[in-house]
């Protein structure tokens, strides 16, 4: 309201100014024609004119740029076909990429796919922009806005890429093969073996439960699109079921108790989105019922958002109090059944009823990563695939690389930022590797011993030019509700800690920039605009 008054006041003021200016200019004209002396243009008029022209130009240039990018994205150029050899007769190597997540798709987007026969294997035929996933169960963002089909990513590459909608079951590092099984279970299902020269494992991780009984049976995770859909259905159904019960019915209270376990960024962002939905939308359509909804967040440690600076997690905790999110700190969830969770806080054991339970307690390795670990002696950690500083898998350094959440490397966290940078780095490595392979082929095929030695030394020199991966941490962002966010930024050696509504705008802009495609950027921006004017949709 206040903002609108300022804006409309501004309009009135500018109209008055324009009126005054036109009088000035008319007088100027009279002066020119009548008296013969030209008066200098008013400074104000010059400033307004230039600003208007600059704005018009920016809008025009922006529109042209967006249209061009959209056109380019939706009209990919011809691709070079795959082949067994290059024009000089050297063999074209096969690069198999497992996964279609942050790491693998960042690699593919930056890879020169004309240098290899590239094969992508992933059971998920799209890339998922996970940072906005917590916004989807309550409808702040539509699910389709944060996915990008693998087919459009592969089609935009200069060289043809083969894609299998399948999961990798097993990797044989000795034979250099991967066994895959199609997602399709019907008559067109298949299981096959793919031979590779180079393999990139980017299969991510699965949610961990730390062995807590009942989680798989009764809780929802928040990792993939079907998880977000499942949570949405449960929330909306519970609200409708509760509406049929009388206000003092204990079952109504249980149905309206939404519990989130894990105070990491996933749990915090989802709890914040849920409370926003209750306060900003449901309160309009079901005012009485919305007051009965409780959002509870259980965290085993003394505070939430451990990876952020103390001032920021403190800010988030204070805001949660204001937002009426029931924060249960030092509270470990020990058991889950169909209607209750058992929590332990110090020596106190409590039974807490819940209607919807969202479990967000971090990552564990996937089966395919575990089976690979079991095959290699050097893989002696249970936390993830062990890699060296060039992202080569320990035990299979000449042919297997691993990136993202499926790996464990001290100092690198399982974040999109890390996986994305690792993908970019590997694209550069594979460009160099192509040159190394070409030189190796020259060495193998030359007849004179001196020439062979020359090529070999050239190859060794090139190998030393492959630099180790250097992670550039740019900071962490999290949405904490009520149009507020926190940011723990690192720019060079300096650290910046920001919190509040401006940080929320920064959060929004950063995620828009990070979206994989222009199409996603536009869809996400439109979703935000839609919600601010029309509110969130409460239907399933
Ligand atoms: P993923 O992106 O998980 O991709 C793994 C891929 O492997 C998927 O395509 C999967 O289908 C495929 N796959 C699985 N099994 C197989 C198999 N057997 N064979 C072949 N393919 C397989 N990080 C941030 O930095 N900032 C954030 O704001 C942020 N927000 C997040 C919000 C949520 C809700 C979640 C869950 C995570 C968030 N993260 C964030 C973490 C980030 O999403 C992960 O670190 C990132 O996705 C890791 O990328 P990845 O490529 O290793 O794995
Ligand atoms: P997390 O590992 O960051 O946090 C899990 C939390 O659950 C921990 O604080 C842990 O103490 C708690 N916990 C574990 N078991 C518990 C139990 N039984 N009862 C109560 N609490 C328990 O997990 P996450 O939030 O799923 O994040 C996974 C990864 O993805 C992290 O690396 C994170 O940085 C990244 N991520 C980043 C963002 C962001 O940057 N905005 C958003 C989401 C996820």
């Amino acid at each position: 309201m206040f903002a609108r008054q300022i804006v409309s006041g501004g309009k009135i003021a500018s109209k008055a100014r324009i009126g005054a200016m036109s009088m000035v200019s008319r007088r100027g004209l009279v002066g020119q024609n009548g008296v013969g002396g030209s008066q200098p243009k008013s400074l104000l008029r010059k400033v307004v004119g230039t600003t208007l022209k600059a704005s018009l130009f920016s809008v025009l240039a922006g529109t042209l740029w967006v249209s061009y990018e959209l056109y380019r994205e939706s009209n990919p150029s011809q691709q070079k076909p795959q082949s067994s050899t290059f024009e000089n007769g050297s063999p074209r190597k096969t690069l198999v990429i497992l996964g279609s997540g942050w790491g693998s798709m960042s690699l593919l987007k930056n890879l020169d796919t004309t240098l290899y026969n590239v094969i992508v294997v992933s059971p998920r035929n799209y890339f998922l922009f996970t940072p906005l996933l917590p916004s989807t169960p309550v409808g702040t963002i539509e699910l389709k806005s944060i996915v990008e089909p693998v087919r459009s990513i592969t089609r935009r590459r200069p060289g043809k890429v083969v894609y299998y909608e399948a999961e990798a079951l097993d990797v044989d590092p000795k034979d250099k093969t991967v066994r895959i099984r199609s997602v399709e279970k019907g008559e067109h299902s298949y299981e096959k073996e793919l031979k590779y020269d180079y393999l990139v494992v980017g299969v991510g991780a699965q949610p961990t439960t730390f062995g807590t009984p009942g989680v798989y049976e009764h809780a929802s995770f928040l990792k993939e699109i079907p998880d977000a859909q499942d949570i949405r259905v449960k929330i909306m159904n519970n609200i409708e079921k509760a509406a049929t019960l009388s206000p003092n019915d204990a079952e109504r209270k249980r149905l309206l108790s939404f519990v989130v376990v894990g105070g990491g960024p996933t749990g915090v962002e989802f709890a914040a989105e849920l409370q926003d939905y209750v306060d900003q939308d449901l309160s309009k359509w079901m005012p009485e019922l919305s007051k009965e909804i409780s959002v509870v967040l259980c965290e085993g440690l003394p505070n939430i958002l451990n990876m952020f600076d103390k001032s920021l997690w403190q800010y988030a905790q204070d805001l949660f109090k204001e937002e009426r999110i029931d924060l249960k700190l030092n509270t470990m969830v020990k058991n889950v059944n169909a209607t209750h969770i058992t929590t332990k806080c110090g020596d106190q054991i409590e039974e807490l009823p819940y209607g919807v339970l969202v479990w967000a307690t971090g990552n564990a390795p996937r089966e395919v990563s575990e089976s690979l670990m079991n095959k290699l002696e050097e893989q002696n950690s249970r936390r993830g695939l062990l890699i060296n500083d060039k992202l080569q898998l320990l035990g299979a350094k000449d042919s297997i690389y691993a990136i993202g959440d499926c790996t464990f490397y001290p100092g690198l966290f399982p974040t999109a930022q890390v996986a994305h940078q690792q993908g970019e780095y590997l694209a550069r490595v594979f460009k160099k590797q192509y040159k190394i392979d070409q030189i190796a082929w020259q060495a193998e095929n030359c007849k004179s011993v001196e020439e062979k030695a020359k090529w070999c030394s050239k190859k060794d020199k090139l190998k030393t030019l492959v630099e180790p991966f250097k992670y550039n941490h740019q900071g962490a962002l999290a949405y904490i509700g009520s149009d507020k966010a926190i940011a723990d930024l690192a720019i060079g050696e300096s650290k910046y800690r920001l919190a509040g509504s401006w940080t929320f705008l920064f959060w929004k802009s950063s995620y828009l920039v990070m979206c994989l495609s222009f199409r996603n950027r536009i869809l996400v921006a439109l979703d935000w605009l839609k919600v601010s004017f029309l509110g969130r949709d409460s239907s399933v």
Side-chain angles (χ1 to χ4, degrees):
M1 190 68 188
F2 183 56
R4 261 192 223 136
Q5 276 171 0
I6 293 176
V7 172
S8 57
K11 267 187 192 162
I12 292 163
S14 60
K15 269 186 190 165
R17 257 181 257 129
I18 290 165
M21 269 163 19
S22 54
M23 279 170 68
V24 170
S25 84
R26 259 180 254 130
R27 270 194 224 120
L29 272 173
V30 169
Q32 260 181 13
N33 298 337
V35 185
S38 71
Q39 284 190 2
K41 266 192 187 173
S42 107
L43 182 66
L44 189 63
R45 192 184 161 195
K46 269 191 201 161
V47 170
V48 171
T50 316
T51 313
L52 275 176
K53 273 183 208 158
S55 316
L56 200 71
F57 178 75
S58 317
V59 170
L60 214 74
T63 315
L64 277 175
W65 179 55
V66 171
S67 314
Y68 169 70
E69 290 293 341
L70 282 174
Y71 175 82
R72 214 166 51 101
E73 266 182 9
S74 46
N75 293 282
S77 48
Q78 284 268 331
Q79 289 181 298
K80 275 199 179 164
Q82 297 201 339
S83 59
S84 53
T85 54
F86 289 105
E87 276 155 19
N88 63 1
S90 64
R92 189 193 288 260
K93 301 221 167 181
T94 301
L95 166 60
V96 175
I97 302 172
L98 303 183
S100 55
W102 274 98
S104 301
M105 291 303 102
S106 152
L107 162 63
L108 192 62
K109 261 196 101 173
N110 292 285
L111 182 72
D112 183 348
T113 53
T114 59
L115 305 180
Y116 296 90
N117 288 327
V118 181
I119 301 176
V120 174
V121 178
S122 177
R124 201 177 72 189
N125 67 7
Y126 53 84
F127 164 80
L128 172 63
F129 188 79
T130 46
L132 291 176
L133 190 63
S135 307
T136 57
V138 295
T140 312
I141 296 285
E142 296 296 332
L143 285 167
K144 284 283 171 201
S145 306
I146 54 166
V147 302
E148 181 69 14
V150 171
R151 291 285 177 191
S152 18
I153 303 168
T154 55
R155 180 63 187 85
R156 286 182 201 128
R157 304 314 302 137
K160 203 165 165 48
V161 176
V162 172
Y163 168 61
Y164 289 103
E165 192 183 0
E167 63 172 330
L169 299 175
D170 190 40
V171 176
D172 186 339
K174 281 203 184 107
D175 274 2
K176 294 195 179 176
T177 54
V178 196
R179 196 155 54 81
I180 65 167
R181 182 173 57 205
S182 63
V183 168
E184 162 74 39
K185 297 280 178 272
E187 60 171 309
H188 299 296
S189 66
Y190 58 83
E191 214 175 295
K192 64 160 77 187
E193 223 156 64
L194 301 176
K195 193 114 186 83
Y196 65 81
D197 294 297
Y198 300 111
L199 176 72
V200 176
V201 185
V203 295
Q206 58 182 343
T208 182
T209 65
F210 295 109
T212 314
V215 179
Y216 284 114
E217 294 84 346
H218 307 293
S220 302
F221 297 111
L222 184 51
K223 185 106 181 117
E224 299 288 344
I225 293 275
D227 299 333
Q229 284 165 328
D230 173 54
I231 296 170
R232 180 172 181 85
V233 170
K234 283 182 178 168
I235 291 172
M236 301 307 168
N237 283 350
N238 272 23
I239 289 172
E240 290 307 331
K241 275 190 236 165
T244 63
L245 302 173
S246 77
N248 35 22
D249 193 326
E251 178 63 0
R252 174 166 162 131
K253 192 164 187 252
R254 182 186 72 78
L255 287 169
L256 296 179
S257 167
F258 300 150
V259 178
V260 181
V261 182
T266 305
V268 165
E269 290 189 326
F270 174 66
E273 287 279 357
L274 189 53
Q275 191 66 46
D276 276 1
Y277 167 65
V278 174
D279 292 343
Q280 296 168 7
D281 295 274
L282 201 66
S283 59
K284 287 186 209 154
W285 314 120
M286 302 173 96
E288 296 310 318
L289 185 139
S290 72
K291 284 186 204 133
E292 296 169 48
I293 289 180
S294 65
V295 177
V296 182
L297 180 69
C298 297
E299 167 54 53
L301 296 174
N303 61 275
I304 58 172
L305 296 174
N306 260 299
M307 76 290 295
F308 286 84
D309 182 72
K310 186 179 178 203
S311 59
L312 295 176
W313 60 250
Q314 192 66 60
Y315 180 90
Q317 290 188 179
D318 291 345
L319 188 72
F320 268 25
K321 255 185 221 145
E322 274 174 41
E323 288 169 347
R324 295 178 295 104
I325 293 174
D326 185 0
L327 200 53
K328 291 189 185 299
L329 298 173
N330 294 305
T331 303
M332 287 299 284
V333 177
K334 292 289 184 188
N335 191 55
V336 176
N337 68 29
T339 54
H340 288 72
I341 55 171
T342 310
T343 63
K344 188 168 185 283
C345 179
D347 294 333
Q348 225 176 335
I349 308 272
E350 213 188 317
E351 291 284 303
L352 197 71
Y354 73 85
V356 178
L357 180 66
V358 175
W359 195 269
T361 61
N363 295 334
R366 288 194 193 276
E367 262 174 48
V368 63
S369 309
E370 276 184 340
S371 100
L372 190 50
M373 284 177 206
N374 293 334
K375 282 186 180 162
L376 300 166
E377 228 173 81
E378 292 82 345
Q379 295 291 326
N380 52 13
S381 159
R382 295 294 97 197
R383 298 172 74 172
L385 294 167
L386 294 178
I387 47 172
N388 65 12
D389 59 3
K390 291 181 178 163
L391 313 186
Q392 295 161 317
L393 190 77
L394 299 193
K397 287 194 279 197
D398 62 330
S399 57
I400 306 184
Y401 295 82
I403 50 177
D405 283 9
C406 63
T407 63
F408 174 72
Y409 187 88
L412 293 183
F413 293 98
T415 64
Q417 212 180 141
V418 171
H420 179 74
Q421 290 184 27
Q422 289 180 329
E424 286 179 331
Y425 164 83
L426 270 196
R428 291 195 297 274
V429 168
F430 280 116
K431 198 166 186 175
K432 283 195 181 133
Q433 189 60 48
Y434 161 75
K435 286 184 188 150
I436 293 170
D437 290 339
Q438 282 288 308
I439 292 169
W441 181 78
Q442 303 275 13
E444 269 169 34
N445 287 285
C446 64
K447 288 185 181 98
S448 95
V449 179
E450 295 93 69
E451 222 176 303
K452 203 179 211 86
K454 203 181 85 193
W455 283 114
C456 283
S457 91
K458 205 171 169 188
K459 186 183 81 178
D460 293 341
K461 197 173 161 210
L462 209 59
K463 268 188 179 171
T464 60
L465 294 182
V466 180
E467 283 171 4
F469 169 71
K470 270 203 201 92
Y471 173 58
N472 171 20
H473 183 65
Q474 287 152 2
L477 299 168
Y479 179 61
I480 51 171
S482 305
D483 293 347
K484 292 189 172 74
I486 52 173
D488 210 338
L489 303 179
I491 301 170
E493 294 296 295
S494 321
K495 299 239 179 299
Y496 300 91
R497 269 133 209 165
L498 313 170
S501 305
W502 285 105
T503 313
F504 176 53
L505 287 181
F506 176 70
W507 177 90
K508 277 184 158 178
S509 339
S510 309
Y511 284 162
L512 272 188
V513 171
M514 279 161 65
C515 278
L516 203 70
S517 68
F518 246 85
R519 181 186 148 276
N520 287 142
R521 261 173 224 142
I522 289 174
L523 290 175
V524 167
L526 287 176
D527 284 346
W528 279 329
L529 205 67
K530 210 165 63 184
V531 164
S532 60
F533 283 105
L534 307 172
R536 295 169 183 86
D537 177 4
S538 294
S539 61
V540 174

